[in-house]
Amino acid sequence: MANDLLINLVCLNYIAQAAINKANSDTQITKSILLSALQQSFQHLRDDFFKVINNMMKFKTISIADSESLIKEAKPMILDCRDMKDYKAGHLDDALHVHEGLKESLVKRGDKQRSLLIYCYYGHASEHLAQFFSDFGFKDVYSLEGGYSGWKEKHQEA
């Protein structure tokens, strides 16, 4: 569906350019009506395209403040995808270190209705893992914005 929207957007752009180039300078009213209609069409296609893209990214990025509320209220499974050395040096309370065996076990037998909160060092690698679990049918998957570094920095300030 996203490909179809993108193709339509590109085609509409070519049609618009051709129509504008054909319009005579003495038909300014026709040109402005055409431009207005094209702008509206572009806006609708653009909105539809971004809706599709957002639906493809099934996980949510969550701020540290919002993750604290999530932890208190929803009691998600917390997954740390940093290396073992850094996990042992410090991690969020109740966080599990992610390894291949855990990933496989969760995909095969995990509670896909339970929320997952995933973090890494700075919040980038956790997005890939969050997408992975979302693709396997987990409903509420969150990637921690700023990762463990952001979490640690916020809690040292407090």
Side-chain angles (χ1 to χ4, degrees):
M1 174 136 183
N3 287 340
D4 293 340
L5 286 172
L6 187 57
I7 290 167
N8 288 338
L9 190 61
V10 170
C11 290
L12 184 59
N13 182 47
Y14 283 118
I15 292 168
Q17 291 301 319
I20 290 169
N21 291 337
K22 294 260 185 209
N24 292 330
S25 59
D26 58 2
T27 57
Q28 200 62 28
I29 295 172
T30 305
K31 203 177 204 181
S32 69
I33 290 170
L34 177 63
L35 282 172
S36 176
L38 288 171
Q39 286 173 338
Q40 288 177 355
S41 295
F42 274 125
Q43 186 65 39
H44 290 299
L45 275 172
R46 184 181 136 324
D47 292 347
D48 289 345
F49 180 74
F50 284 111
K51 283 179 192 173
V52 168
I53 295 300
N54 287 334
N55 286 337
M56 288 171 63
M57 289 183 58
K58 300 170 193 165
F59 70 91
K60 301 160 202 79
T61 301
I62 189 169
S63 70
I64 293 168
D66 289 342
S67 70
E68 291 169 335
S69 299
L70 177 74
I71 290 169
K72 286 177 188 170
E73 295 166 16
K75 310 250 186 289
M77 179 179 292
I78 304 171
L79 303 176
D80 183 325
C81 63
R82 299 174 303 147
D83 64 37
M84 181 57 86
K85 179 182 125 240
D86 288 319
Y87 173 79
K88 285 182 178 180
H91 54 269
L92 274 64
D93 291 343
D94 301 321
L96 300 172
H97 182 257
V98 177
H99 52 82
E100 287 304 314
L102 177 62
K103 281 173 54 176
E104 184 179 328
S105 175
L106 288 173
V107 167
K108 288 181 179 176
R109 296 177 287 283
D111 178 1
K112 295 185 179 181
Q113 301 306 313
R114 184 175 181 190
S115 298
L116 297 178
L117 173 62
I118 305 169
Y119 68 92
C120 58
Y121 295 98
Y122 301 104
H124 303 293
S126 59
E127 291 177 343
H128 297 288
L129 192 57
Q131 185 65 51
F132 171 84
F133 282 112
S134 293
D135 289 344
F136 275 99
F138 287 81
K139 301 297 179 207
D140 294 312
V141 182
Y142 301 90
S143 173
L144 182 63
E145 184 176 46
Y148 185 74
S149 296
W151 178 276
K152 190 173 175 182
E153 183 179 311
K154 181 175 188 282
H155 287 90
Q156 284 178 343
E157 294 171 0

